[in-house]
Amino acid sequence: LTRAGGAMNFSTRHSGAGELAREALSTAHVVVTPGEVITTEPGFLRGHGVHMRGEELVASVAGIVERVNKLVSVRPLNARYTGEVGDVIVGRVREVGTRRWTVDINARQDAVLMLSSVNLSGGVQRRRTTEDQMNMRAYYEEHDLISADVHSMFADGAVSLHARSLKFGKLENGAFIAVPHALIKRLKQHFVALPCGVDVILGCNGFVWISEALSRAEGRYDDEAKTGLADAVEARKEYAAARVVSAEGRLRMARVRNAVAALAAVYTVVSPQTIMDVYGASVEMRLEPKDMLNPDYLLDLTATAR
């Protein structure tokens, strides 16, 4: 480590020993391995995945260096999902309990969705009764896929879910795929309508749901003025769950699904833009959806997204 004109200058002489050659922990994503020196500059605070070795800040896990002001941490490349309040997630119901559902969200512990945190039929606002508790399987039962958001965190790190918004609920008539959660970045909108006519839910926990888009002309949407928004949305979801997806729609969904799988195979960020990059490349290369994961085509297919 040398100084030039009073500014820090990380020398590359010791790159073989793992010292990062960059200007004072830039915000660019840098991958480190256990034991690799992140910086020897004093004044930084040690976060998760980092330990001190004398005056050196050293990575204790393999991952991406993240810096918030003076706090330096390493986010593991392969670890269980850790929830944050406001995260949109896709989960699978494991168990129906007393006034709560236990949901697998790819975290160290299963999440909890309380009966009071879901919408009643028709969007009715009232206290939950014993009858509601007896009919919990009418809402969600074991193995159902659902969408929700993280409402709060318990002291032991478990996640409490919330599904009171009309956009959340049971997921049916679509395709599910799981990818490493580190590849799903937090976006302003995780419910995405792709230009190819496919809707995607990018769960922050690495679970992705893919379904055919539903136009406003479908699903008795015109009844909204008479029945109210909650009833109209509920009818629209019932229509989407019961309809038969066309062969063209299934091919589009399969192409999107394999685009996500291809991005995960080369460990590239899964976002609406990268999905459409791979989708478009597969069309240009005249590949069938079943051929998109062929190792012979994988690198060329994902070249524009990487």
Side-chain angles (χ1 to χ4, degrees):
L1 179 67
T2 61
R3 291 183 178 273
M8 288 218 324
N9 179 23
F10 284 87
S11 172
T12 60
R13 296 194 310 272
H14 305 293
S15 58
E19 185 170 350
L20 300 180
R22 67 186 186 279
E23 184 75 12
L25 291 172
S26 69
T27 57
H29 290 320
V30 177
V31 178
V32 294
T33 55
E36 189 166 356
V37 177
I38 298 174
T39 181
T40 58
E41 177 70 10
F44 289 104
L45 301 177
R46 176 174 57 87
H48 293 291
V50 177
H51 68 274
M52 297 297 298
R53 187 171 63 196
E55 296 297 324
E56 299 175 331
L57 206 59
V58 180
S60 57
V61 296
I64 297 172
V65 177
E66 294 183 338
R67 175 187 171 186
V68 179
N69 297 325
K70 290 293 185 178
L71 178 66
V72 178
S73 59
V74 176
R75 176 163 53 88
L77 291 174
N78 188 16
R80 287 286 190 169
Y81 166 70
T82 302
E84 292 187 15
V85 175
D87 281 357
V88 173
I89 62 95
V90 174
R92 188 181 295 277
V93 176
R94 280 187 180 272
E95 182 182 357
V96 181
T98 304
R99 303 182 70 85
R100 69 181 63 195
W101 292 269
T102 301
V103 184
D104 174 20
I105 61 167
N106 194 32
R108 288 187 292 271
Q109 303 179 63
D110 289 338
V112 173
L113 176 63
M114 301 298 296
L115 177 60
S116 59
S117 298
V118 302
N119 279 319
L120 299 176
S121 298
V124 178
Q125 300 293 329
R126 59 170 173 78
R127 291 177 64 88
R128 275 47 172 177
T129 63
T130 304
E131 184 178 354
D132 294 324
Q133 185 175 340
M134 297 295 292
N135 293 328
M136 285 178 59
R137 281 187 170 82
Y139 297 97
Y140 310 123
E141 57 184 4
E142 290 85 349
H143 310 300
D144 279 349
L145 284 168
I146 65 170
S147 61
D149 67 355
V150 176
H151 181 252
S152 61
M153 307 291 294
F154 294 109
D156 61 354
V159 171
S160 174
L161 301 177
H162 202 257
R164 295 294 292 272
S165 173
L166 294 175
K167 65 182 178 181
F168 297 131
K170 185 187 294 188
L171 302 174
E172 300 176 279
N173 214 5
F176 169 83
I177 181 172
V179 302
H181 74 88
L183 300 183
I184 307 290
K185 303 304 179 185
R186 290 179 172 86
L187 308 170
K188 290 183 179 179
Q189 181 59 260
H190 284 263
F191 287 75
V192 181
L194 298 177
C196 58
V198 174
D199 289 343
V200 175
I201 303 176
L202 299 173
C204 292
N205 57 331
F207 290 172
V208 179
W209 177 255
I210 301 163
S211 60
E212 188 180 28
L214 190 66
S215 68
R216 291 184 64 87
E218 297 179 286
R220 295 176 287 177
Y221 203 84
D222 294 336
D223 293 340
E224 178 181 330
K226 298 179 181 178
T227 62
L229 178 61
D231 287 334
V233 171
E234 188 172 332
R236 191 170 165 83
K237 288 181 177 179
E238 290 176 358
Y239 173 83
R243 67 174 172 164
V244 177
V245 179
S246 65
E248 294 79 7
R250 291 196 296 272
L251 282 174
R252 291 195 301 270
M253 289 168 55
R255 195 176 293 276
V256 170
R257 187 266 176 203
N258 284 350
V260 174
L263 290 167
V266 297
Y267 215 85
T268 301
V269 171
V270 178
S271 68
Q273 182 61 51
T274 56
I275 292 173
M276 289 308 302
D277 286 344
V278 176
Y279 186 100
S282 70
V283 174
E284 290 179 4
M285 295 170 65
R286 298 183 179 180
L287 293 177
E288 294 293 329
K290 63 184 178 64
D291 297 324
M292 292 174 63
L293 299 180
N294 188 321
D296 295 336
Y297 305 125
L298 200 56
L299 292 181
D300 292 337
L301 190 63
T302 57
T304 56
R306 287 184 280 119

